[in-house]
Tab-separated table of all heavy atoms in Angstrom:
chain	number	residue	atom	x	y	z
O	992	PHE	N	-9.322	-14.066	-4.477
O	992	PHE	CA	-8.140	-13.323	-4.932
O	992	PHE	C	-8.383	-11.814	-4.862
O	992	PHE	O	-7.538	-11.060	-4.381
O	992	PHE	CB	-7.783	-13.720	-6.379
O	992	PHE	CG	-6.855	-12.758	-7.049
O	992	PHE	CD1	-5.541	-12.604	-6.612
O	992	PHE	CD2	-7.289	-11.971	-8.113
O	992	PHE	CE1	-4.682	-11.694	-7.232
O	992	PHE	CE2	-6.437	-11.065	-8.730
O	992	PHE	CZ	-5.130	-10.925	-8.283
O	994	PHE	N	-10.434	-10.112	-2.984
O	994	PHE	CA	-10.412	-9.669	-1.581
O	994	PHE	C	-8.977	-9.584	-1.048
O	994	PHE	O	-8.606	-8.628	-0.382
O	994	PHE	CB	-11.217	-10.616	-0.686
O	994	PHE	CG	-12.665	-10.250	-0.586
O	994	PHE	CD1	-13.662	-11.173	-0.904
O	994	PHE	CD2	-13.047	-8.994	-0.170
O	994	PHE	CE1	-15.005	-10.835	-0.815
O	994	PHE	CE2	-14.388	-8.642	-0.068
O	994	PHE	CZ	-15.372	-9.569	-0.407
O	999	SER	N	-4.455	-6.181	0.420
O	999	SER	CA	-3.093	-5.675	0.323
O	999	SER	C	-3.102	-4.184	0.001
O	999	SER	O	-2.386	-3.387	0.598
O	999	SER	CB	-2.339	-6.445	-0.764
O	999	SER	OG	-1.090	-5.848	-0.979
O	1107	PHE	N	0.414	11.476	24.387
O	1107	PHE	CA	0.123	10.060	24.174
O	1107	PHE	C	0.911	9.540	22.973
O	1107	PHE	O	1.543	8.484	23.035
O	1107	PHE	CB	-1.384	9.853	23.948
O	1107	PHE	CG	-1.773	8.406	23.816
O	1107	PHE	CD1	-1.886	7.582	24.928
O	1107	PHE	CD2	-2.022	7.851	22.557
O	1107	PHE	CE1	-2.232	6.249	24.810
O	1107	PHE	CE2	-2.363	6.509	22.429
O	1107	PHE	CZ	-2.477	5.714	23.552
O	1141	GLU	N	-6.649	-15.826	2.436
O	1141	GLU	CA	-7.959	-15.668	1.806
O	1141	GLU	C	-9.075	-15.596	2.854
O	1141	GLU	O	-9.964	-14.749	2.779
O	1141	GLU	CB	-8.198	-16.834	0.834
O	1141	GLU	CG	-9.344	-16.582	-0.118
O	1141	GLU	CD	-9.473	-17.665	-1.188
O	1141	GLU	OE1	-8.451	-18.233	-1.604
O	1141	GLU	OE2	-10.608	-17.921	-1.607
O	1200	PHE	N	2.114	3.185	-4.016
O	1200	PHE	CA	2.134	2.573	-2.684
O	1200	PHE	C	0.752	2.037	-2.323
O	1200	PHE	O	0.615	0.909	-1.842
O	1200	PHE	CB	2.599	3.600	-1.643
O	1200	PHE	CG	2.852	3.000	-0.294
O	1200	PHE	CD1	4.001	2.280	-0.047
O	1200	PHE	CD2	1.937	3.165	0.738
O	1200	PHE	CE1	4.249	1.720	1.204
O	1200	PHE	CE2	2.173	2.618	1.992
O	1200	PHE	CZ	3.332	1.896	2.223
O	1298	SER	N	0.396	-9.371	3.078
O	1298	SER	CA	0.886	-9.488	1.689
O	1298	SER	C	2.380	-9.193	1.627
O	1298	SER	O	3.108	-9.790	0.837
O	1298	SER	CB	0.112	-8.553	0.761
O	1298	SER	OG	0.437	-7.202	0.980
O	1304	THR	N	8.012	-15.000	1.945
O	1304	THR	CA	7.664	-16.358	2.359
O	1304	THR	C	7.484	-17.259	1.138
O	1304	THR	O	7.956	-18.399	1.104
O	1304	THR	CB	6.361	-16.350	3.198
O	1304	THR	OG1	6.559	-15.496	4.329
O	1304	THR	CG2	5.996	-17.741	3.689
O	1352	LEU	N	10.901	1.832	-4.622
O	1352	LEU	CA	9.639	1.635	-5.325
O	1352	LEU	C	9.741	2.057	-6.798
O	1352	LEU	O	9.471	1.248	-7.689
O	1352	LEU	CB	8.530	2.376	-4.576
O	1352	LEU	CG	7.080	2.150	-4.966
O	1352	LEU	CD1	6.169	2.561	-3.833
O	1352	LEU	CD2	6.676	2.841	-6.228
Side-chain angles (χ1 to χ4, degrees):
F992 164 67
F994 271 125
S999 172
F1107 184 78
E1141 195 173 328
F1200 189 77
S1298 71
T1304 302
L1352 190 160

